[in-house]
Amino acid sequence: MSEPRETIVVLDFGAQYSQLIARRVREAHVYCELFPWDAPADKVLRLAPRGFILSGGPNSVYEPGAPYLLPYVLESGQPILGICYGMQLLAHALGGRVAPSSHREYGPAQVALGGEPSPLFSGLPTPLAVWMSHGDRIEALPPGFVALGRSTNSPLAAMGDVSRGLYGLQFHPEVAHTPLGKEILHRFVYQVCGCRGTWTPDAFIEDAIARIHAQVGEGKVVCGLSGGVDSAVAATLVHRAVGDQLTCVFVDTGLLRRGEPEQVVETFQRRQGMRLLAVNAAEEFLTDLSGITDPEEKRIRIGNRFIRVFEREAARLGQVEFLAQGTLYPDVIESRGPERQTAAKIKTHHNVGGLPEDMQMRLVEPLRYLFKDEVRAAGEALGLPEEIVWRHPFPGPGLAIRVVGEVTWDRLETLRHADAILLEELRKADLYRQTAQVFAVLLPVRSVGVMGDGRTYANVVALRAVTTDDFMTADWARLPYDLLARVSNRIVNEVAGVNRVVYDISSKPPATIEWE
C-alpha cells in the first residue's frame, strides 16, 4: 500500500467470540488483527497499532495462573479498550480492585450512562441496551479513572481515563445483542485512536498482491481451485501478483455437487483465462474413504489426498514451491490454529488442520484473516462473476461430510440429486441471495414409509438452510412452508431410495452449520 496501514490490535484472553471484535473494527474500515494475549511484544508492535482492545475471557484476574496484561501494552502509550475480562484486567493492572459479584450477570441489561463526558459514549442514548456475561466486577476504580456507566448488578459497568484514552466496558459491544455496540467501537477507533478508515476492498487487494509478490518472488505456485468464492478470490489475487507463475489445479474428487466439475472448467479456464489443470481423482478419494464413518477421519484423509494430488500435479510442472489456498479466518478459528491456542478446537478443516506434516510446498493464504463478507467484497472489486462471488460456501471435503456415515458412490449420487432439487427450487423462489448456506444431508438411517400401495424402508434426507453475516454464528432460515413442501415432494418422488425429508431448525451455536 502507498501509506502505512492503520491497525487496531485485539489481544485474545480466551473469549469464545474474540474474532467478532476484529470483525466489527474492520466493518468500520480499520484494519485489525487478533493475537493471543501472550504474543511476543515485537510481533505485535511491528504493526505499529493505533490502539489495543482487550477481549473477554473465562478466567478471574485474581486467580493464580490467570492470563495477565503484558507490560508493553500499557508502556506503548496507545489507547486501550478493555471488554469484560479485559476491563477487569485493565483495572487490576492499574491499581483497581476486582472481586466476585454477588449476582452473576448474564444476558440483556440496561446501562445508565453518566459521569465525565467521553468520546466513547458521546451522543448515545441512556439507558443503553447491552449484553452482559460476567461473574466478577470492578469494586474500586484505578487512580485517574471515573465511572461512565452502571447497571443493576454492576455499579461500574463502564469506566474511563479520558485523558489517557483508557476505557473499560463490563458488557460486550461486539455482539448483536448490544444494538449500539458497533457505534461504541466506531467511536473508539476513530475518536479515541484517531483512525481514518483506510481498510477497504481496494486497499486489501493492493496490500495482498504486494505481500504475495514478496513471498513468492520468482517461484511457481499451484492453487487448489474448487469454484467457490474463497479459492476463486485467492487464485485471482495470486494471478494478479505473479501471472503465469500460477497454475490452478481443479480436482474432481467425486465429492462435488451435480454439474460442478463442468462449471469450474468453463468459468476459470475459458472465461477467466487462467492456466487450469483438471484432474479426475474420484476413484482415489473414494478408495481412501472406504469404510470410514468418523467425520474427523474423513477430513484428514481428504486433506491428505488433496495435498498428494497437488504435489503429483506440481511435479509435472517442474519445481513448484508454493500452494495457494482460500483459507478463511473462521477456518483458522475453528481449527484452533497457532493464532488461537487459547480456543477450543471444534473441527479440523482440510486446509488448516488436515495437512500432512511432510508436505513439501509452502502455503500462500492471502485470505487467512478475512471473513466471508470481506472475501465477497474483494471478489466484486476484482471483477469476478456474480455467480462465483455470491455462490454459497461449499466445504473443502465436499459431500463426504454431508453423507453422514460411510461414503459410497451410490449414496453420493442420491445426495447429489436431492441437493440439486433443493437449490433449483431455492433459486426459483428468489431466495438464494437471502440465505447464507443451503444444502441437503443424507442421514445414515432409514425409515418406514408408504408409496403407492406398498410399504417402503428407505433413506432420510435432511435440509439445512441458515442465515448469517460472519459464519461464526448462524440462525436457521425461516423458509416458506410452500417451498419446503415442493422440495420435499420432489425429492421423495424423484430421488430413488428416499421416502422422508426433514428440516433442520438448529442454530449455531449450539450446532455447527455442517452436520459433520
Side-chain angles (χ1 to χ4, degrees):
M1 295 175 64
S2 57
E3 60 180 280
R5 182 168 61 190
E6 54 185 23
T7 302
I8 298 294
V9 164
V10 176
L11 294 178
D12 178 15
F13 290 88
Q16 188 176 5
Y17 297 119
S18 293
Q19 70 277 10
L20 284 180
I21 305 172
R23 173 179 165 77
R24 300 308 179 214
V25 173
R26 292 199 208 167
E27 287 175 352
H29 302 297
V30 175
Y31 183 71
C32 187
E33 278 200 28
L34 177 68
F35 289 90
W37 67 272
D38 56 352
D42 58 344
K43 184 177 181 181
V44 176
L45 294 178
R46 70 185 179 190
L47 294 176
R50 298 283 186 89
F52 293 88
I53 300 178
L54 315 180
S55 84
N59 300 96
S60 294
V61 297
Y62 46 78
E63 291 178 344
Y68 56 92
L69 189 60
L70 293 178
Y72 78 87
V73 180
L74 289 169
E75 291 169 358
S76 73
Q78 298 293 355
I80 301 172
L81 174 64
I83 297 173
C84 198
Y85 182 82
M87 174 190 185
Q88 297 158 14
L89 198 63
L90 189 60
H92 183 69
L94 293 172
R97 187 171 72 252
V98 181
S101 176
S102 57
H103 298 284
R104 175 175 169 81
E105 198 170 15
Y106 182 84
Q110 298 287 317
V111 169
L113 302 178
E116 182 178 333
S118 74
L120 208 62
F121 297 118
S122 175
L124 295 184
T126 185
L128 198 65
V130 303
W131 184 264
M132 293 280 193
S133 178
H134 66 97
D136 295 335
R137 69 181 189 179
I138 311 296
E139 293 286 342
L141 291 172
F145 280 75
V146 297
L148 299 176
R150 63 179 294 124
S151 70
T152 302
N153 293 317
S154 297
L156 298 173
M159 68 179 191
D161 183 335
V162 178
S163 64
R164 289 194 289 170
L166 305 179
Y167 294 92
L169 305 174
Q170 189 64 75
F171 58 88
H172 290 268
E174 72 273 21
V175 300
H177 300 296
T178 300
L180 294 178
K182 290 183 182 181
E183 295 295 325
I184 296 171
L185 291 171
H186 187 281
R187 282 166 167 74
F188 177 71
V189 299
Y190 279 86
Q191 298 180 32
V192 179
C193 299
C195 295
R196 295 177 291 110
T198 58
W199 178 246
T200 63
D202 288 337
F204 162 73
I205 290 168
E206 180 183 351
D207 187 56
I209 289 173
R211 288 172 182 257
I212 295 166
H213 191 269
Q215 179 185 3
V216 171
E218 300 300 319
K220 291 184 178 180
V221 190
V222 291
C223 178
L225 193 60
S226 68
V229 62
D230 304 338
S231 62
V233 172
T236 304
L237 287 169
V238 175
H239 190 254
R240 295 275 180 95
V242 299
D244 286 343
Q245 292 169 235
L246 169 70
T247 300
C248 294
V249 178
F250 168 65
V251 179
D252 182 356
T253 63
L255 308 172
L256 301 175
R257 290 173 291 198
R258 180 174 285 188
E260 281 186 326
E262 298 80 8
Q263 181 190 40
V264 170
V265 172
E266 170 66 26
T267 298
F268 292 96
Q269 188 176 66
R270 299 174 188 171
R271 293 175 59 183
Q272 296 298 309
M274 294 183 184
R275 296 180 60 186
L276 176 65
L277 295 178
V279 182
N280 188 335
E283 187 173 343
E284 295 176 63
F285 281 87
L286 286 174
T287 298
D288 288 345
L289 293 169
S290 178
I292 303 301
T293 59
D294 180 73
E296 279 294 284
E297 183 66 19
K298 288 181 186 178
R299 290 175 180 272
I300 291 169
R301 288 184 177 228
I302 290 168
N304 286 341
R305 181 56 58 187
F306 257 108
I307 298 304
R308 296 310 178 209
V309 172
F310 288 148
E311 287 182 332
R312 184 179 67 211
E313 296 304 317
R316 297 173 183 172
L317 299 171
Q319 183 63 36
V320 176
E321 303 173 47
F322 299 95
L323 169 64
Q325 291 192 144
T327 309
L328 300 192
Y329 205 28
D331 300 338
V332 176
I333 299 301
E334 292 192 340
S335 294
R336 196 177 58 189
E339 300 87 343
R340 287 275 292 169
Q341 289 303 315
T342 54
K345 178 177 177 180
I346 298 173
K347 60 187 176 184
T348 297
H349 288 262
H350 81 282
N351 56 349
V352 180
L355 300 177
E357 293 182 1
D358 61 344
M359 186 181 74
Q360 300 300 308
M361 292 176 284
R362 286 175 284 170
L363 292 177
V364 177
E365 297 176 309
L367 312 180
R368 187 175 179 86
Y369 297 102
L370 293 194
F371 295 97
K372 180 68 72 172
D373 60 316
E374 293 176 312
V375 175
R376 287 199 166 110
E380 289 184 322
L382 287 166
L384 290 173
E386 181 180 357
E387 60 267 25
I388 295 296
V389 172
W390 289 100
R391 181 190 186 207
H392 284 182
F394 188 63
L399 297 181
I401 58 170
R402 294 178 181 173
V403 171
V404 181
E406 185 176 6
V407 180
T408 67
W409 185 257
D410 287 344
R411 299 193 76 208
L412 286 167
E413 287 290 273
T414 297
L415 180 57
R416 265 190 274 269
H417 194 174
D419 193 70
I421 290 172
L422 172 60
L423 294 179
E424 179 186 337
E425 291 295 337
L426 190 74
R427 288 188 173 95
K428 283 182 180 178
D430 198 25
L431 290 173
Y432 190 83
R433 287 280 294 271
Q434 280 66 55
T435 50
Q437 195 166 354
V438 177
F439 54 90
V441 180
L442 184 62
L443 304 185
V445 296
R446 290 190 294 170
S447 69
V448 174
V450 178
M451 293 181 126
D453 295 323
R455 175 185 182 275
T456 62
Y457 190 54
N459 292 300
V460 179
V461 166
L463 308 180
R464 179 72 158 144
V466 300
T467 58
T468 179
D469 290 327
D470 52 32
F471 289 87
M472 300 308 302
T473 61
D475 195 13
W476 62 278
R478 272 65 170 175
L479 296 181
Y481 289 160
D482 58 346
L483 170 61
L484 292 172
R486 285 197 305 274
V487 172
S488 175
N489 185 64
R490 284 194 59 190
I491 289 175
V492 170
N493 282 281
E494 298 176 29
V495 181
V498 175
N499 69 355
R500 190 179 299 271
V501 175
V502 298
Y503 189 50
D504 182 351
I505 58 170
S506 306
S507 296
K508 176 186 180 182
T512 55
I513 294 177
E514 297 286 348
W515 277 50
E516 288 198 340

